[in-house]
Amino acid sequence: MKTVFEKSVEGKRGVELPKPAADESIGVEGLVPKEFLREKPAELPELSEIEVVRHYTGLSRRNYGVDNGFYPLGSCTMKYNPKVNEEMAKLPGFAQLHPLQPEITTQGALKLMFELEKMLCEICGFERFSLQPPAGACGEFTGIRIVRAYHESRGEGAKRRKILIPDSSHGTNPASVTQCGFIAEEIKSNAEGMIDLSVLKEKMSEEVAGIMITNPNTLGLFEKDIVKICEIVHEKGGLVYMDGANMNALLGICRPGELGFDVMHLNLHKSFSTPHGGGGPGCGPVGVKKHLVEFLPTPMVEEKNGVHHLNHNLPKSIGKVKSFYGNFGMMVRAYTYIRALGAKGMRRAGETAVLNANYLKEKLKHEYNLPHDRICMHEFVLNDEKLPNGVTTSDVAKMLLDMGYHAPTIYFPLIVHGAIMIEPTETESRETLDEFVEAMLQIKRDAQEKPDFVKSAPHNLPVKKLDAVRAAKEPVLRWRKQA
């Protein structure tokens, strides 16, 4: 498909701009200082209105999103977002707020933030939440900064330099730890895909500031020894951080604060249905137990006699991590989602996400290799070991694109060679799941009978199979006029 620049024909016009109100005899040069004027006209595409409409309509039809098809990578990118969330975020009283308005004129927004924080505390079992971090990765950074502030307040900042991280963690975890000045130390998983308690005991010392655990982990498995893990870390004075990216599986079922975690972050797009396409804007709230509240980012929303205000008087706070109070529109969407589902609905969402994942796992495990054959949580991980004729995980993903599906997460987690991570989420019907199973089984049959067809996929998309290495190292991200 040609770009709008390649379709341009000199002299074509879509609209006629109104004549300027100023005296035309003055000219642009008389109205704009010379240093701000272009030396030559901008190279803008020249087309009629209908050509522009058809171009962008054509592009939109080639876009794939959760509104027009099944996403087997589920909440990891974005689960289905109820449309009522968008309607609430568009209400003028929310959408037209300015962050510098006097507090007395923003009581509705402050009350929503206050109540959303209380809801997240109730769901996760924590004392307070900060809604300020604008994404999950920033939530991690904020949480680890709080861990550091806690140890420094006890005079142990210089001694506790390490954070332990299981090898089944998200890749952002060691990055956040390093940015906060700690040393990330890896813990190998055992044969069951769990944290090895004997290894943890060996590594745990008074040099360790804490441990950062994703639960359920990236294999889709619940850390069954999590209470014991927390005890081991606490006995040596460390803190336990929960990467809450996979909270979708625990909604209404399990509260991390009661398991022993001291601090955690959430990704509102993963568990509370806020958009996250294109990298944001997001929201990564951080929750803490009582002994860490004083270190949360400032300001915090407080309430007194029915009036809400922003409390900036937090002397031990780690400071701000985002301008103003975070991405408020995401808070409106998450608030709407939680209020719409209620306590029973939240639990049902978590249960159905787990049920759907286990349904797919049982349907596919006899045709694709399942390295860890246990009841999974909201996701599970296959790999390509059983595929014949050298067909790989990448080939499977390309074939799924050809068959009208978004590809699942592939080659992650890194501890499973050729990983295919599948997460259906709670909103998919049994019919949709069965259709996806049949697509996966057809790929397996094609791999057996006509492997070259599978290896050369995709066949039906605008872009054929790319040189993946060249695409990564020499990306073409914008149109440039041919010399």
Side-chain angles (χ1 to χ4, degrees):
M1 182 174 179
K2 290 183 177 179
T3 68
V4 71
F5 292 96
E6 292 167 321
K7 292 177 179 177
S8 174
V9 176
E10 187 175 351
K12 281 193 176 183
R13 292 288 183 272
V15 296
E16 288 290 337
L17 296 176
K19 292 186 181 299
D23 184 351
E24 289 186 58
S25 63
I26 299 175
V28 176
E29 294 79 5
L31 298 171
V32 181
K34 184 178 179 181
E35 61 267 30
F36 298 127
L37 292 176
R38 288 181 173 277
E39 296 179 353
K40 57 182 181 179
E43 293 179 345
L44 300 176
E46 299 177 69
L47 297 101
S48 67
E49 179 177 308
I50 188 62
E51 288 172 321
V52 173
V53 170
R54 286 173 179 166
H55 176 75
Y56 286 103
T57 302
L59 281 180
S60 71
R61 287 176 175 170
R62 296 184 179 197
N63 191 29
Y64 191 93
V66 72
D67 285 349
N68 54 357
F70 178 48
Y71 249 66
L73 54 65
S75 76
C76 195
T77 291
M78 185 171 79
K79 69 177 187 178
Y80 176 68
N81 301 164
K83 298 303 176 247
V84 66
N85 296 356
E86 302 305 313
E87 293 300 317
M88 296 302 104
K90 287 193 299 186
L91 289 174
F94 291 141
Q96 296 177 15
L97 281 172
H98 193 285
L100 294 179
Q101 282 182 224
E103 285 183 2
I104 195 65
T105 69
T106 61
Q107 284 297 301
L110 293 175
K111 183 178 180 182
L112 184 145
M113 294 166 69
F114 185 77
E115 292 186 355
L116 176 60
E117 182 197 339
K118 298 303 177 192
M119 291 175 186
L120 297 180
C121 288
E122 177 65 22
I123 291 169
C124 298
F126 284 95
E127 187 77 14
R128 295 293 307 262
F129 259 90
S130 168
L131 307 175
Q132 197 178 118
C138 184
E140 288 181 27
F141 176 80
T142 303
I144 297 300
R145 281 281 309 278
I146 290 171
V147 170
R148 181 173 177 172
Y150 168 79
H151 287 304
E152 286 176 346
S153 74
R154 296 160 59 89
E156 296 185 343
K159 180 174 71 173
R160 295 189 180 271
R161 305 307 306 155
K162 299 179 182 176
I163 297 280
L164 305 180
I165 302 178
D167 57 7
S168 60
S169 73
H170 286 108
T172 46
N173 290 179
S176 298
V177 163
T178 304
Q179 281 196 318
C180 290
F182 288 109
I183 299 167
E185 191 162 312
E186 185 178 88
I187 297 181
K188 296 288 184 186
S189 299
N190 60 23
E192 293 181 301
M194 302 281 98
I195 293 174
D196 191 317
L197 292 183
S198 61
V199 175
L200 174 62
K201 289 178 181 176
E202 286 176 11
K203 289 184 175 290
M204 197 59 217
S205 71
E206 294 187 352
E207 292 184 351
V208 174
I211 187 170
M212 203 170 186
I213 302 172
T214 303
N215 193 26
N217 66 22
T218 56
L219 295 169
L221 304 176
F222 189 85
E223 289 285 354
K224 61 182 182 180
D225 295 319
I226 190 61
V227 174
K228 183 63 179 174
I229 291 168
C230 292
E231 289 175 356
I232 293 171
V233 176
H234 286 153
E235 283 173 2
K236 294 289 186 181
L239 298 178
V240 187
Y241 183 100
M242 176 162 154
D243 179 329
N246 292 341
M247 187 66 195
N248 206 49
L250 308 181
L251 292 176
I253 302 169
C254 174
R255 305 207 310 166
E258 293 176 350
L259 295 175
F261 288 99
D262 299 286
V263 53
M264 74 174 292
H265 82 270
L266 294 165
N267 301 62
L268 291 190
H269 69 283
K270 291 184 175 229
S271 306
F272 300 98
S273 80
T274 67
H276 200 53
C283 192
V286 171
V288 297
K289 300 290 274 294
K290 190 174 183 178
H291 54 289
L292 299 177
V293 168
E294 59 187 342
F295 306 110
L296 283 168
T298 181
M300 295 291 290
V301 182
E302 310 285 1
E303 184 267 340
K304 186 175 182 181
N305 300 325
V307 178
H308 296 82
H309 68 280
L310 294 166
N311 181 10
H312 294 265
N313 185 25
L314 300 167
K316 293 187 178 179
S317 166
I318 63 167
K320 292 180 71 65
V321 295
K322 176 75 171 75
S323 58
F324 299 109
Y325 324 113
N327 290 326
F328 177 67
M330 298 300 106
M331 301 173 203
V332 177
R333 291 171 172 89
Y335 179 89
T336 304
Y337 182 71
I338 296 171
R339 289 293 301 268
L341 265 64
K344 290 182 179 178
M346 294 297 289
R347 182 182 178 98
R348 186 168 175 78
E351 290 174 339
T352 308
V354 173
L355 179 63
N356 281 357
N358 279 281
Y359 181 77
L360 284 184
K361 174 178 68 68
E362 291 301 311
K363 289 281 187 179
L364 293 173
K365 73 178 187 181
H366 300 297
E367 297 296 332
Y368 289 80
N369 190 49
L370 178 66
H372 299 92
D373 191 1
R374 281 179 46 193
I375 293 176
C376 68
M377 301 301 288
H378 65 306
E379 63 190 6
F380 61 101
V381 178
L382 304 170
N383 72 4
D384 55 8
E385 285 186 14
K386 280 188 178 180
L387 292 176
N389 299 316
V391 169
T392 67
T393 290
S394 175
D395 299 331
V396 173
K398 302 298 184 188
M399 277 298 295
L400 282 171
L401 297 178
D402 237 10
M403 299 168 86
Y405 292 96
H406 196 287
T409 301
I410 57 174
Y411 298 110
F412 182 82
L414 301 178
I415 58 175
V416 175
H417 181 74
I420 307 173
M421 177 193 284
I422 297 175
E423 181 187 359
T425 76
E426 66 277 9
T427 52
E428 300 300 338
S429 68
R430 181 170 174 177
E431 290 76 16
T432 298
L433 300 182
D434 285 338
E435 289 169 4
F436 178 70
V437 168
E438 178 52 33
M440 291 288 284
L441 298 184
Q442 182 62 48
I443 293 171
K444 176 73 181 295
R445 289 192 290 270
D446 287 344
Q448 185 69 54
E449 298 165 5
K450 43 183 180 180
D452 290 342
F453 177 73
V454 178
K455 292 178 181 179
S456 58
H459 306 281
N460 304 320
L461 301 181
V463 177
K464 306 305 178 188
K465 195 153 195 168
L466 298 173
D467 179 335
V469 174
R470 188 179 175 197
K473 292 189 174 182
E474 302 175 26
V476 180
L477 303 177
R478 53 164 294 193
W479 174 83
R480 292 182 187 278
K481 189 176 183 178
Q482 295 292 326

